[in-house]
Amino acid sequence: MGNSALIVIDMINSYDHPDADLLVPSVRSALPQIGRLIDRARSERVPVVYANDNFGQWRSHHGEIIETALGGSNAELVEPVLPDQDSLFVVKARHSIFYETPLSYLLSQLEAGHVVLCGQVTEQCVLYSALDAHIRHLRVTVPRDAVAHIHGDLADAALRMMERNMGAAVLDAGDVSF
């Protein structure tokens, strides 16, 4: 399983939650790099998988999640990273992209042994997803400039933990190899 997959975490977001004011500036900073990673993955025919919260809407599907996000007050943060017709979409309910989702099976079907994690939130969903990828024996890359945080100090600590404790490659988005 030597293939790679780009996992875009929680970027389809209405930003209608208590930490949004703290998160949005970091998203604005990471957004160009996330967009470039998505474009690069698509051009290199690397699967792009969106793993996204359903925001407690248990009857929702990815189309409704996208519609809700585009109807939010920060649609300009969603539009540049929208899924295309070839993108894959996994709905999640908790922090990890793997918890109670079909992502492990999907990655095995793609023969992906390497995941590149981008999106939000560094010190929450990205961190827990990196750990779950590591315990599944996947190679993990986290581009530090393509993840967004709520608390910068916790994000820095999370990136160090991913690198040191999980063996993740933590580097700039421009240095990512799929």
Side-chain angles (χ1 to χ4, degrees):
M1 292 207 326
N3 296 331
S4 297
L6 175 65
I7 315 292
V8 182
I9 302 172
D10 290 334
M11 289 302 294
I12 310 303
N13 196 310
S14 65
Y15 299 96
D16 182 25
H17 50 79
D19 293 325
D21 290 342
L22 296 171
L23 176 60
V24 165
S26 183
V27 172
R28 287 190 198 287
S29 177
L31 194 60
Q33 290 75 242
I34 295 169
R36 282 193 284 278
L37 276 172
I38 292 169
D39 291 345
R40 227 176 86 222
R42 288 174 178 159
S43 73
E44 295 180 28
R45 299 194 174 281
V46 171
V48 179
V49 181
Y50 288 76
N52 218 92
D53 278 332
N54 69 355
F55 307 108
Q57 302 301 312
W58 290 105
R59 290 186 179 94
S60 63
H61 57 76
H62 75 277
E64 290 176 49
I65 294 169
I66 292 168
E67 184 178 310
T68 299
L70 290 174
S73 60
N74 289 288
E76 77 280 2
L77 301 178
V78 179
E79 291 165 350
V81 294
L82 284 172
D84 67 5
Q85 68 279 358
D86 295 323
S87 299
L88 304 167
F89 204 99
V90 173
V91 176
K92 70 183 193 64
R94 300 296 297 167
H95 293 83
S96 173
I97 58 180
F98 292 96
Y99 182 75
E100 300 287 329
T101 75
L103 185 60
S104 290
Y105 181 75
L106 173 59
L107 293 173
S108 72
Q109 294 298 297
L110 297 171
E111 298 182 351
H114 174 228
V115 291
V116 177
L117 306 178
C118 67
Q120 57 187 312
V121 168
T122 310
E123 67 272 26
Q124 295 174 15
C125 298
V126 177
L127 173 64
Y128 302 134
S129 298
L131 175 60
D132 278 356
H134 171 72
I135 65 173
R136 285 168 174 76
H137 303 286
L138 297 168
R139 194 165 52 91
V140 178
T141 297
V142 180
R144 67 174 65 85
D145 55 346
V147 289
H149 61 269
I150 295 171
H151 302 286
D153 59 332
L154 296 178
D156 291 341
L159 289 168
R160 286 194 313 272
M161 288 172 59
M162 288 182 252
E163 189 170 43
R164 183 176 185 145
N165 298 345
M166 299 164 210
V170 176
L171 38 79
D172 291 334
D175 295 328
V176 169
S177 294
F178 288 113

